[in-house]
Amino acid sequence: MYGIEATLPKASGITSDPVYTEVQCRVYSLNYRINEYEQKIAEVQNRIPYVIGDREVEVLHRLLDGDSMRAIGKHMGLSSTTMFRVRNNILIQMMK
């Protein structure tokens, strides 16, 4: 029984399995997208100190936590128009 394991050939070269090839392509694509997202997140984090104003800071932190604009507005008692104005102010401040 032990002699059979020793006589099996070693794998060499590339696999011709189409499923494996597709998985490798998807992994490469997803890693590329993840790297892009990480760069964008790092840029946003670097610009957080530029945001001035209590309302803007509160909205920004809630957005970064994943809350929706509607949920933030409801929690803070702000209309949708005011929420979009605050968000635009945050973007303007971050672009400076």
Side-chain angles (χ1 to χ4, degrees):
M1 202 185 299
Y2 293 105
I4 294 174
E5 292 177 18
T7 60
L8 294 176
K10 299 275 185 181
S12 63
I14 60 172
T15 181
S16 63
D17 183 10
V19 174
Y20 176 79
T21 305
E22 179 66 23
V23 168
Q24 290 299 100
C25 289
R26 289 184 185 195
V27 166
Y28 176 79
S29 174
L30 291 175
N31 283 336
Y32 181 79
R33 290 176 60 191
I34 288 170
N35 287 334
E36 284 183 337
Y37 288 138
E38 287 175 345
Q39 290 172 356
K40 290 176 183 179
I41 290 168
E43 189 63 35
V44 169
Q45 289 175 338
N46 289 337
R47 293 179 178 269
I48 287 175
Y50 297 127
V51 178
I52 302 169
D54 293 336
R55 183 183 286 176
E56 283 82 1
V57 170
E58 177 76 18
V59 170
L60 175 61
H61 284 291
R62 289 185 174 274
L63 284 172
L64 292 175
D65 286 340
D67 293 346
S68 68
M69 295 284 284
R70 179 177 288 183
I72 297 168
K74 191 178 228 183
H75 176 76
M76 296 178 70
L78 303 173
S79 69
S80 61
T81 305
T82 304
M83 281 301 302
F84 283 105
R85 191 173 336 120
V86 170
R87 187 196 62 189
N88 288 339
N89 287 340
I90 292 169
L91 293 174
I92 289 168
Q93 290 175 9
M94 290 180 113
M95 296 305 291
K96 290 181 181 177

